[in-house]
Amino acid sequence: MENSEKLIAQDEKWRLWQWLVIIGLVVAILVTLFIWFFPAKKNNLPLGFKPLTLEQEIEGYRNQLTISKNNFLFLAKLGDAYIRQARTTGDPSWYILAEQSAKASLANAPGNTGALILLARVSMARHEFKNAISFSEKVLNDPNARLEGLGILFDVHFATGDFDKAKADLEEITNTKKVLLKMKKMKLGPGGQIETDSTDPIKLTRYALLFSSTGKDKEAEQSFMSSLQALGNTDGEPKAWVYTLYASFLIKHGHFVEAQNNLKFALNNLAGYVPPLVQMAEIERCKNNWQGVIEILSEPNKEPAAGLLFYLG
């Protein structure tokens, strides 16, 4: 009798372990599927949130505009998505759509800074520098748009070789941030912190460009590395943009292998991004490998003419 009870107790214990193992496997599978289909927190998005692709963003704003076709905010957001698509694909026709959206937004809300910023960015991409300056200057009195306006002014002054004004633009960005910090209207950085000069990747990259163009190569490299560090684990165009510009800096100094690695990082951060392909072609040109240049720039659906705005040569 006692042996029988022991056997029953052992059997029940074994069955309990079996159920625990089965439950553990089921939980492990569910967790794996959740992580697979709903990536963990990345780019500061909540757990389980998948960022939209640019195509999905564009489609979403277009759908919203079928319901509210005169909504100036949606028109501006659509224009912003068009500009990002232009930079990603290298197809300049997206800038035409961005300009149309910006003008429609402006028609429905005259003077709105979102539309003016878009027009400034489109003008900058087309190298219409006077227009870019004009549109940027119109937003400088708006605390919410001033930093972006100053940033575009830097882009214009840097692209036209006016490095003194470009430096002054960066100093004014610093002064503006101090004011905005007091007003508590600063944007949050990638990690949720306030973007100071040491954590603002865009400003650090602009300093790197300025340092490189004025012969301060050590400072330029430090600024590029600080910018990438500030971007942390974020993915997407900003990081791909910094990797590409850093690669351009390395190409200028003949560090082709390191440049190639950074360009691969850029493409890993943003698949199909055209500017890295332009720089890869530049590496082959420096090696007098013209067949390599043709092969890179002949990839289907790539139009590198709308590639990087800045070259460090």
Side-chain angles (χ1 to χ4, degrees):
M1 187 71 175
E2 289 181 3
N3 289 336
S4 177
E5 289 177 351
K6 284 182 180 179
L7 288 173
I8 291 172
Q10 286 178 352
D11 185 59
E12 289 178 348
K13 196 173 184 180
W14 173 244
R15 290 184 179 222
L16 177 63
W17 276 109
Q18 281 183 317
W19 276 110
L20 288 174
V21 170
I22 292 170
I23 291 169
L25 287 172
V26 170
V27 170
I29 291 169
L30 290 174
V31 169
T32 302
L33 289 173
F34 183 81
I35 292 173
W36 180 265
F37 290 105
F38 301 95
K41 187 174 181 181
K42 193 173 188 182
N43 294 332
N44 300 302
L45 296 171
L47 184 67
F49 184 87
K50 274 189 175 182
L52 295 175
T53 64
L54 263 176
E55 290 79 6
Q56 289 171 329
E57 274 192 59
I58 289 170
E59 185 64 23
Y61 291 132
R62 285 175 172 171
N63 289 338
Q64 290 288 346
L65 286 166
T66 60
I67 301 170
S68 179
K69 65 179 182 179
N70 295 324
N71 188 308
F72 75 97
L73 288 175
F74 286 139
L75 285 164
K77 287 181 181 294
L78 178 60
D80 176 74
Y82 283 149
I83 287 177
R84 284 182 283 133
Q85 186 77 322
R87 290 196 301 238
T88 299
T89 63
D91 182 352
S93 64
W94 290 103
Y95 287 116
I96 298 173
L97 294 176
E99 182 180 36
Q100 290 172 351
S101 292
K103 287 182 176 179
S105 175
L106 209 57
N108 285 284
N112 84 79
T113 55
L116 291 169
I117 287 290
L118 288 177
L119 291 172
R121 288 162 63 193
V122 169
S123 298
M124 182 66 210
R126 293 172 173 168
H127 291 189
E128 297 171 356
F129 299 125
K130 287 185 178 180
N131 288 340
I133 290 173
S134 176
F135 288 126
S136 297
E137 287 179 340
K138 290 178 180 178
V139 308
L140 296 182
N141 291 328
D142 182 346
N144 296 314
R146 181 173 174 80
L147 284 176
E148 195 162 2
L150 288 169
I152 296 171
L153 288 176
F154 166 87
D155 296 344
V156 171
H157 294 141
F158 178 83
T160 55
D162 196 338
F163 300 138
D164 288 337
K165 284 187 178 180
K167 183 179 179 182
D169 293 329
L170 291 178
E171 290 171 351
E172 187 56 35
I173 286 174
T174 298
N175 294 332
T176 299
K177 284 184 176 182
K178 291 177 181 177
V179 174
L180 292 178
L181 278 168
K182 292 179 181 178
M183 296 169 62
K184 296 183 179 179
K185 288 189 177 180
M186 274 297 295
K187 292 189 297 182
L188 294 181
Q193 79 279 11
I194 289 176
E195 283 183 349
T196 62
D197 284 351
S198 61
T199 60
D200 182 347
I202 302 302
K203 185 174 180 186
L204 287 166
T205 303
R206 284 176 168 140
Y207 263 117
L209 293 169
L210 190 58
F211 284 140
S212 176
S213 297
T214 53
K216 297 178 180 178
D217 293 336
K218 184 177 179 180
E219 292 89 340
E221 184 147 21
Q222 288 175 343
S223 292
F224 276 125
M225 298 309 295
S226 296
S227 178
L228 289 169
Q229 185 177 3
L231 283 163
N233 294 324
T234 59
D235 287 340
E237 188 191 359
K239 199 168 191 177
W241 177 70
V242 177
Y243 273 129
T244 305
L245 289 176
Y246 182 38
S248 180
F249 169 80
L250 293 168
I251 292 169
K252 176 184 175 184
H253 293 85
H255 303 307
F256 298 142
V257 174
E258 194 175 351
Q260 193 86 24
N261 289 335
N262 277 274
L263 293 171
K264 289 177 181 177
F265 289 146
L267 289 170
N268 286 339
N269 272 269
L270 189 60
Y273 192 38
V274 167
L277 295 176
V278 176
Q279 293 305 312
M280 285 181 175
E282 175 64 11
I283 291 174
E284 299 308 315
R285 186 196 68 79
C286 291
K287 296 176 181 177
N288 289 322
N289 179 13
W290 298 105
Q291 183 60 35
V293 173
I294 292 171
E295 289 175 0
I296 291 171
L297 298 186
S298 297
E299 287 196 22
N301 302 319
K302 301 299 179 190
E303 297 184 36
L308 290 178
L309 295 177
F310 302 124
Y311 291 90
L312 304 181

